[in-house]
Amino acid sequence: MAKLTYKVVEHDGGWAYKVGATFSETFPTHQDALRAAEIASAEQQVAGATDGIQYEDAEGKWHEELADGRDRPQTEVSD
């Protein structure tokens, strides 16, 4: 099972959360960014429907696969 860490960081004149190399929108306060990270982290763990997905990998190749809606990552918020 994958594990994602939502890390609260200073960003673009305010605060954001970061997962891997991806930043959220910028929030005016640390507390706002922390709360948004907690909400996003919780939502990431909610099971969805099993469905077909398409995605492009880092080399530009497209893939199609069936995504199990119950296969959700483990998440945490790092402040």
Side-chain angles (χ1 to χ4, degrees), residues 2-76:
K3 183 174 183 180
L4 300 176
T5 301
Y6 290 72
K7 184 173 182 177
V8 177
V9 296
E10 288 187 66
H11 179 67
D12 202 21
W15 293 88
Y17 62 85
K18 183 177 176 184
V19 179
T22 304
F23 289 91
S24 71
E25 65 188 275
T26 303
F27 296 91
T29 69
H30 178 275
Q31 187 61 32
D32 290 340
L34 177 60
R35 182 69 185 130
E38 291 168 343
I39 291 168
S41 174
E43 289 176 351
Q44 184 71 19
Q45 296 179 61
V46 175
T50 297
D51 202 355
I53 62 169
Q54 297 177 338
Y55 64 94
E56 185 177 11
D57 66 21
E59 286 79 41
K61 183 178 177 187
W62 282 92
H63 302 269
E64 292 184 17
E65 63 184 51
L66 186 62
D68 183 348
R70 298 167 297 161
D71 184 19
R72 306 308 307 154
Q74 188 178 28
T75 65
E76 69 179 2

